Structure formats: C-alpha cells, structure tokens
Amino acid sequence: MASVTSLSDSVHQRLAAALSAALPQAGSADPLLRRSDRADFQANGILALAKKEKANPRELATQVVSGVESGELIKDVEVSGPGFLNITLTDGAITRNLAARYADDTGRLGVPHAEQPGTTVIDYAQPNVAKEMHVGHLRSAVIGDAVVQLLEFTGENVVRRHHIGDWGTQFGMLIQYLEEHPHELDHKADETSGEEAMSNLDRLYKAARKLFDADEEFKTRARRRVVDLQAGDPQTLAMWQKFVDESKIYFFSVFEKLDMEIRDADIVGESGYNDMLAETCRLLEESGVAVRSEGALCVFFDDIKGPDGNPVPLIVQKSDGGYGYAATDLSAIRDRVFNLKANSIIYVVDARQSLHFKMVFETARKAGWLGDDVKAYQLAFGTVLGKDGKPFKTREGETVRLVDLLDEAIDRASAVVREKAQDLSEEEIAERGTQVGVGAVKYADLSTSANRDYKFDLDQMVSLNGDTSVYLQYAYARIQSILRKAGASRPAAHPELELHEAERALGLHADSFAATVAEAATEYAPHKLAAYLYQLASLYTTFYDKCPVLKAETREQIENRLFLCDITARTLHRGMALLGIRTPERL
C-alpha cells in the first residue's frame, strides 16, 4: 500500500500554496506549522516572512487565510495576535485519514519508506569474551537494537556489528593462567549452561588478573603468550577459540533473555581486524597523519591537550609494537567504508569514550577514509544509576550482573501480573511476567534521552501508573479486551460523525505516528518514540474515561469508537515493537 499523507503535511501544503500566492516574490515559504492547544494546529511562519518582505504581518495573515482552500480538510482558519494562524480541521478529515492508515494491510499504518535509503553500519552490544555481562552493557544493547529497528522500518539498509572484546593482553594472561592451573577449569562445556560456563570463565579471569598484577614473572610469561596468540600459535589459538565459543553461548543466552536477536555473522570482534592493523599503521605513517613519538605511532591534534597544556595524542601503535584500540577502531572504519559501503557509521558507546571517538573520527578524516559523504557518529549514552544517584552497584559494591537484574525485573513484573490476572494460567503469568519485566527495563532506558544518566528503580519501572512500559502494555491489553467484548460490533470508520474533543485529540495524535517514527530514526532518538507512545496511551485513557465505547448512543458511534480503539492498539503494538517491547493481548 502507498504511504498516507499526514494531516499535518496536508495542511502544510495548503498554507504554503496560499503563502506563495500572497507573496510570489518570496518563493517557497515555510508556514512553520505545529500542534497547538488553541486549535488543532498553529502556523507561526508569517511573522518572520512579513518582516523579511517589509509587510504588515496581520494583513499578510488575512490575505493568506483568504487564499487557503478549506473544503473537506480545513474547517476554520483564524488570524490570532500579530499574525499567527489557528487552524481547525473537520472531524471527517481526521476520521478519513485514520481510516486510510487503518486500511494498510502491511502493518505499517501508512508509514512511508525513506525515498533515498543508504547503508548504515551500527556498532552496538559489545560484551567482552570471558567476562560476564553487567548493567553497563545494558544501554548499548537496548538503545542499539531500537535504533536498528527504527532504521530498518524506515527502509535503511542496516548492517549490524557487535565489536566484542576478544583480543589483547587479557587473553595471553588468561591462557597462560589456565595452562599453569588446568585443574581450575572444572567443567565440560557440553554439560554446563552458558551462564555457568561464563561464571567459571569470569572467576578464572579475576584469578589470572590478580596473579598478573602481583607476580612479575607471571606477567612476563603472559605477555609472551600474547605474542604467541598474535603470531597464530595453534595451541594458543585453540584455547582462545574455546573461550570465544563458550562466551558466545553465554552472550546468546543473555540477549535471548533481553528479547533481542543477535546473529553470529554480525559478531565481528577486535580479532576480526587483525590482518588490517599493520597496513592501517603504514598508511597513517606514510601519509604523515601519524608520527613516531618516543617509539610509539601517534596522531596529535591542535585542540586536544592535557591539564598540563601538553598535546594528548591518539596512540595507534605502542612503542613495544603492540596495537592499541585506536588501530582496531581505525581498521574497522576502513572495513565499514570501503568493504561494507557505509554511508553512516553509528557507535552506540558510553559517553566516557567520547574523546577517544572524536580523535578516531578526526584521524580517519585526515587519512581520507571518512569523506564528506560518510557520517561517523557516536550515539553516546549516560550511566545507569542506583536509587541513591550513584553508579548502580550491589550492596557489596560489585557491578550488577545483567542476568540478575533481568531476573529480578521479571520476578517483580510477574507479581504485578499475578495480582491483576483474572483468567491466566501459571504458565501464562510466567510468560507475561517475562514480557512485562524485560519491557519495563528496556522502556526505562529508552524513554530517557540516551546522553542522560537515569536511575534504575524497579518499583517505578513495573508500576501501572506513570511513564512506564506497563502503563502502555496495560492500555493495549485493555483495548484488546474491549474488542473481544464487542460481539457482533466491528470497528468501522464513520467520517460523517461529529467527534468528541477526546476523540479528536486521540485521532490527531495517532495520525502523527509516521512523522514521529521518521524523526526518531533520523535523529537516532528512540526516546522520542517512547514519549509519543506514552502520550498516545494517556490520550486513550482520557478517551476511554469520557467516551463510552460499547455503550455509545448509536451503532455507528460504537463502530467508530471501536475503530479508534483498534487503530490506537495497532499504533501501540507497532511502536512498542520498534522499541523491542512486547504487547501481550491479556494482562
């Protein structure tokens, strides 16, 4: 089905045409249309245009009004103040536009695909091999997945990349420790769950790190083992591969609990760029972008200096010949631009790494790898805080394991579902509890602008009141209950009916779904979609309170209100899916 022109765009076109007719010398003019609490829309663009053309704004506004075609779309245009236009639509226009969205059997609700889609590589969900995932991994995974869903829905060609930490000194340390303490790997991989296997690896890693920091001789042996790993020693590589394979099983289990699809082909960790590192350094040095300083290969910047006033370089290759994160990240950029043909590269990475990525991007631009036609963007996110406003930790001061956090959310949500459940079996309560609990964690993250910190408060997250996913899920489930109780009455649009104020507000907001999705995708801002959905559920609650559905006065009114219910439900369902959150039919 073709996309549906929104009411806002239709009004914009009429006003722009009237403006151009009134001031032909101004060319195409933007009426600056927005939603208003004084009418359905308000146009503010006439003031600036009148000033530019040295015209009287109120006279120009009156002239524009006389040239606006009204008909079936616009009921009234009123000049307000010094030249604002207040526009009220006909009730029929609202209903007809929603009916066109409702008729879209693709499930897209008339949302168009991008006219000129490009290729976006998005780097997100980057856990570390041999380490358990913790609360710090939550935001990259959840925000990244939502941005992927939004971009793919709008038609962008999206390449997912999970740049896992699977290379470097820590693996020489871990392999050497296991070589010297083989009895400590006290399990067989095929007899142990992903979580248990990772707990064992995590325990081994901590023991190896402790010895590495305390024993200089072990540190020397571990570093020698890193050289063996980088040289491709078969025995060392085999042990490394075992760590990677066991870690992946664990990663998949955690992402499955998060209700996220992670594909093996999309996991290209630090090791995936090994063969490019030497060439990356050579190209940087030969072009003069990087220079040798005290044996290390460095890139210096005019505007980046330390507290002492001395330049802070990006170290691409260390003085001992080892490669830093910068070499891997720059090699990844080369791969993403020249092999994957990316127009945009997005990194969903902690805000604390902003300086690193600023330096990496500037280096890649100096080297000519990031041209004007390629955007590199760090979607930086803030920190997850505890209720005390400090970084989220356990009572013992340890970092909170992601699995434990999700399990607790599911337990809390299951209790809420059980309390509300009337005709659900224990199996259904468990399923709904998982959907509600995981949805609550995701929504709390996604409803906050990515660059802000937020407090992790499970009591608030699983509340039926306020800006929570449970509130949205409950609104959806309530609509499904009404539709089930409707009997022979079916949803049907009746444009001839007058609408209640609450129906108008709900209808106008539902019609702006496409514009919100486009904005959220363009700006990589899932929180804007979350805010839209919360307002939709709030407007539905007002409608539900003020407009009887099944007990409306006429058959046509019942059908039209069922239609408003159903398109609201479909919009909630589609919008929540783009955030990676389920909408259960019953709660």
Side-chain angles (χ1 to χ4, degrees), residues 18-38:
L19 262 174
S20 296
L23 280 176
Q25 70 272 24
S28 59
D30 188 350
L32 297 179
L33 194 70
R34 62 176 180 81
R35 290 280 283 119
S36 170
D37 55 3
R38 295 173 180 266

Side-chain angles (χ1 to χ4, degrees), residues 479 506 510 536 540 563-573:
I479 295 172
L506 179 61
L536 181 68
Y540 177 77
F563 155 71
L564 280 172
C565 286
D566 202 10
I567 194 162
T568 299
R570 293 183 186 193
T571 307
L572 281 170
H573 175 76

Side-chain angles (χ1 to χ4, degrees), residues 540-582:
Y540 177 77
T541 300
T542 303
F543 158 79
Y544 179 81
D545 290 341
K546 295 186 175 181
C547 303
V549 178
L550 300 180
K551 293 182 179 179
E553 293 176 5
T554 66
R555 177 180 61 81
E556 290 79 10
Q557 201 173 44
I558 291 172
E559 290 176 348
N560 201 60
R561 286 179 177 174
L562 283 171
F563 155 71
L564 280 172
C565 286
D566 202 10
I567 194 162
T568 299
R570 293 183 186 193
T571 307
L572 281 170
H573 175 76
R574 170 53 66 191
M576 293 285 268
L578 291 174
L579 297 179
I581 299 172
R582 304 275 179 177

Side-chain angles (χ1 to χ4, degrees), residues 293 297-301 304-305 310-316 359:
S293 175
L297 185 64
C298 303
V299 182
F300 290 91
F301 308 88
I304 301 176
K305 293 181 170 59
N310 292 324
V312 175
L314 179 71
I315 300 173
V316 185
M359 295 162 88

Side-chain angles (χ1 to χ4, degrees), residues 150-281:
L150 281 163
L151 290 175
E152 288 184 338
F153 187 67
T154 55
E156 184 78 352
N157 173 38
V158 179
V159 181
R160 312 172 191 204
R161 279 292 175 265
H162 308 296
H163 191 87
I164 63 172
D166 66 349
W167 204 247
T169 303
Q170 66 267 36
F171 292 98
M173 178 183 78
L174 190 56
I175 292 166
Q176 188 61 35
Y177 183 84
L178 198 55
E179 180 89 352
E180 297 176 12
H181 305 81
H183 61 283
E184 291 204 22
L185 195 64
D186 56 359
H187 73 280
K188 295 179 180 177
D190 56 356
E191 294 176 3
T192 312
S193 72
E195 286 184 30
E196 289 172 331
M198 183 52 75
S199 288
N200 277 321
L201 280 179
D202 196 68
R203 176 180 49 78
L204 283 171
Y205 176 83
K206 288 173 181 172
R209 166 58 69 182
K210 188 175 180 181
L211 187 60
F212 184 87
D213 291 339
D215 187 331
E216 284 298 322
E217 290 185 2
F218 175 74
K219 183 180 287 189
T220 300
R221 295 194 298 275
R223 285 181 168 155
R224 206 175 297 133
R225 181 67 73 167
V226 176
V227 175
D228 293 341
L229 179 63
Q230 292 175 337
D233 172 62
Q235 182 187 354
T236 304
L237 269 180
M239 291 183 74
W240 169 81
Q241 190 64 55
K242 184 177 181 181
F243 293 146
V244 172
D245 292 343
E246 287 204 8
S247 297
K248 279 187 181 180
I249 293 168
Y250 162 76
F251 296 157
F252 287 131
S253 72
V254 178
F255 288 126
E256 186 177 5
K257 186 166 280 193
L258 260 175
D259 200 13
M260 279 175 52
E261 180 195 33
I262 299 289
R263 301 177 299 224
D264 192 52
D266 300 330
I267 298 176
V268 183
E270 294 167 352
S271 63
Y273 305 99
N274 282 343
D275 295 344
M276 299 176 68
L277 300 180
E279 186 182 27
T280 294
C281 291

Side-chain angles (χ1 to χ4, degrees), residues 100-132:
R101 296 193 183 283
Y102 191 72
D104 184 353
D105 57 7
T106 66
R108 294 185 60 82
L109 297 167
V111 177
H113 284 95
E115 291 181 9
Q116 294 181 309
T119 295
T120 295
V121 177
I122 178 164
D123 187 327
Y124 69 108
Q126 312 105 339
N128 295 306
V129 166
K131 292 184 186 177
E132 290 180 291

Side-chain angles (χ1 to χ4, degrees), residues 352-373:
R352 288 171 291 189
Q353 295 190 43
S354 294
L355 179 61
H356 169 78
F357 278 100
K358 180 180 187 290
M359 295 162 88
V360 165
F361 295 160
E362 192 171 328
T363 299
R365 292 211 178 277
K366 285 180 178 178
W369 303 333
L370 282 176
D372 293 338
D373 56 340

Side-chain angles (χ1 to χ4, degrees), residues 39-88:
D40 293 333
F41 295 98
Q42 186 174 82
N44 300 336
I46 290 176
L47 276 75
L49 197 61
K51 185 177 180 181
K52 182 181 175 186
E53 298 296 328
K54 297 183 171 54
N56 181 302
R58 194 169 173 90
E59 287 178 9
L60 178 58
T62 304
Q63 193 178 347
V64 169
V65 168
S66 65
V68 172
E69 289 183 37
S70 52
E72 294 185 339
L73 176 64
I74 296 175
K75 179 180 179 181
D76 183 50
V77 184
E78 173 192 62
V79 179
S80 171
F84 300 123
L85 296 183
N86 290 332
I87 302 107
T88 302

